[in-house]
Amino acid sequence: MSNKIKLNIAVLTISDSRTKETDKSGNLLAKLIGESGHKVTEYFIVKDCIYSIRKTVSSWIDNKSIDVVISTGGTGVTGATGYGGEDQDERDKIS
């Protein structure tokens, strides 16, 4: 009998262009999570917009049935994202 802890994992792909059919990284993560004995409880693709990302991640953090959140995608910090860095009060300002 295995003592391995089985986790409920949420996968978030951040992309303006991917769909579930074309999301290679999200689909690979979901496959590997399942193969390792864990469960993908949520899998979403959101636009590269700080508000969409925050809304999804915040709801998952508040969801007691989700143990882990993994995100993939995005192009990094850009003016379109509107995010300037960790824990900054002005992160909502879009340059």
Side-chain angles (χ1 to χ4, degrees):
M1 182 173 195
S2 174
N3 291 330
K4 183 177 177 180
I5 296 172
K6 299 194 186 236
L7 300 171
N8 293 320
I9 301 174
V11 176
L12 178 65
T13 296
I14 301 161
S15 176
D16 292 331
S17 60
R18 297 289 180 226
T19 65
K20 287 197 176 181
E21 292 76 29
T22 63
D23 179 21
K24 292 179 183 178
S25 60
N27 285 316
L28 177 61
L29 282 168
K31 177 180 177 237
L32 294 173
I33 290 165
E35 288 176 356
S36 65
H38 303 293
K39 182 179 179 184
V40 176
T41 55
E42 299 281 351
Y43 168 41
F44 291 159
I45 299 172
V46 298
K47 299 288 184 193
D48 195 358
C49 166
I50 189 65
Y51 304 110
S52 298
I53 298 165
R54 277 189 193 164
K55 179 180 177 182
T56 302
V57 173
S58 293
S59 71
W60 287 350
I61 289 170
D62 195 43
N63 185 335
K64 301 301 180 204
S65 67
I66 295 175
D67 301 309
V68 176
V69 173
I70 299 175
S71 67
T72 183
T75 57
V77 177
T78 68
T81 309
Y83 184 61
E86 295 291 327
D87 300 317
Q88 293 182 357
D89 291 336
E90 297 182 359
R91 65 182 168 226
D92 290 334
K93 293 183 181 178
I94 297 174
S95 53

